[in-house]
Amino acid sequence: GESVGLHLPTLSVQEGDNSIINCAYSNSASDYFIWYKQESGKGPQFIIDIRSNMDKRQGQRVTVLLNKTVKHLSLQIAATQPGDSAVYFCAERGAQIGGSQGNLIFGKGTKLSVKP
Amino acid sequence: DTEVTQTPKHLVMGMTNKKSLKCEQHMGHRAMYWYKQKAKKPPELMFVYSYEKLSINESVPSRFSPECPNSSLLNLHLHALQPEDSALYLCATSRGLRAYEQFFGPGTRLTVL
């Protein structure tokens, strides 16, 4: 079945360093891959998405890389700040049924801790 | 207004109680979602409403009953819950064409005794 998973449950980085959060997925048919950030006590917040026909997309301080050969997705955060501390979930858009948009399937999450 | 609000923030209920969770949005989004999130786990989809009609029910037990009274409101009615239903219940919305970009509320922390 469809599944999205994470390689590491926790990641600790020094403030100012770059962070890389990894994710493996299994459904080759997914057309969008997405990263969400969930801070403590809050709901997930959309960060960035990448379409399956792309291999790289950049946002503000974040870059998402997609390697379809090995079904691997990563999120790079440049100059990590204390405000980046959160749980990061990768997600994929699941199977689309009829004319409806597919729904999100979340991976397990990586907790990022930023040391001052 | 770019917020999704949820009430109450916390709810403690017994297994025989009936309660409701509420979600409200004023972004004009026509897709609304209920997710369940256990501690240290990812959100799991429960229900999807599209244009106020239930389009997806992910095999959720009947003790959870969703309702969408209008395009701004989404309710989740709870009855005869079990302790294992204790979780964070998240509401989310999205625009039709970008259903993968969802806007989440802060959630309701539910404890079933």
Side-chain angles (χ1 to χ4, degrees):
Chain A
E2 299 170 347
S3 67
V4 182
L6 265 297
H7 291 307
L8 289 173
T10 60
L11 176 66
S12 184
V13 300
Q14 203 70 39
E15 182 179 356
D17 286 352
N18 296 336
S19 303
I20 300 177
I21 301 171
N22 296 305
C23 177
Y25 66 92
S26 62
N27 184 6
S28 300
S30 294
D31 60 350
Y32 278 93
F33 298 89
I34 311 98
W35 284 99
Y36 278 82
K37 171 186 180 184
Q38 186 173 22
E39 296 176 84
S40 180
K42 296 184 179 180
Q45 178 184 10
F46 174 90
I47 301 173
I48 191 168
D49 65 276
I50 186 167
R51 195 167 177 172
S52 59
N53 63 355
M54 301 171 65
D55 53 21
K56 181 179 180 178
R57 187 163 187 224
Q58 287 185 293
Q60 187 176 11
R61 278 202 309 119
V62 295
T63 301
V64 57
L65 299 177
L66 178 62
N67 185 331
K68 293 181 287 294
T69 303
V70 295
K71 297 181 184 176
H72 185 267
L73 184 70
S74 69
L75 178 71
Q76 300 177 0
I77 305 173
T80 314
Q81 302 168 0
D84 296 324
S85 294
V87 176
Y88 289 80
F89 292 101
C90 63
E92 60 180 328
R93 184 161 79 169
Q96 297 170 57
I97 303 168
S100 68
Q101 301 290 317
N103 295 303
L104 291 181
I105 300 169
F106 284 87
K108 294 178 184 175
T110 293
K111 183 175 182 179
L112 175 66
S113 299
V114 181
K115 296 177 287 187
Chain B
D1 188 348
T2 58
E3 266 195 333
V4 176
T5 58
Q6 289 187 245
T7 55
K9 289 192 188 316
H10 302 276
L11 179 62
V12 180
M13 61 186 291
M15 289 189 283
T16 58
N17 291 159
K18 285 186 182 180
K19 297 286 184 183
S20 297
L21 309 185
K22 297 187 185 301
C23 174
E24 188 168 4
Q25 60 103 358
H26 295 288
M27 292 182 282
H29 291 172
R30 302 313 294 266
M32 299 185 77
Y33 311 78
W34 279 115
Y35 287 86
K36 175 183 178 180
Q37 186 177 28
K38 301 283 274 185
K40 298 185 181 180
K41 298 288 187 182
E44 295 178 355
L45 183 66
M46 299 174 72
F47 302 104
V48 180
Y49 272 84
S50 179
Y51 289 86
E52 294 136 64
K53 287 186 172 25
L54 183 64
S55 62
I56 292 179
N57 174 341
E58 291 285 356
S59 303
V60 180
S62 60
R63 57 187 185 268
F64 294 91
S65 175
E67 178 196 19
C68 190
N70 58 57
S71 60
S72 299
L73 292 173
L74 186 66
N75 297 323
L76 185 62
H77 302 298
L78 315 173
H79 175 52
L81 294 193
Q82 303 297 309
E84 59 263 30
D85 295 322
S86 298
L88 181 69
Y89 288 84
L90 293 159
C91 172
T93 70
S94 69
R95 290 184 287 259
L97 293 179
R98 285 178 61 86
Y100 53 85
E101 182 180 1
Q102 296 185 10
F103 296 78
F104 283 82
T108 293
R109 177 74 61 189
L110 175 67
T111 301
V112 182
L113 301 177

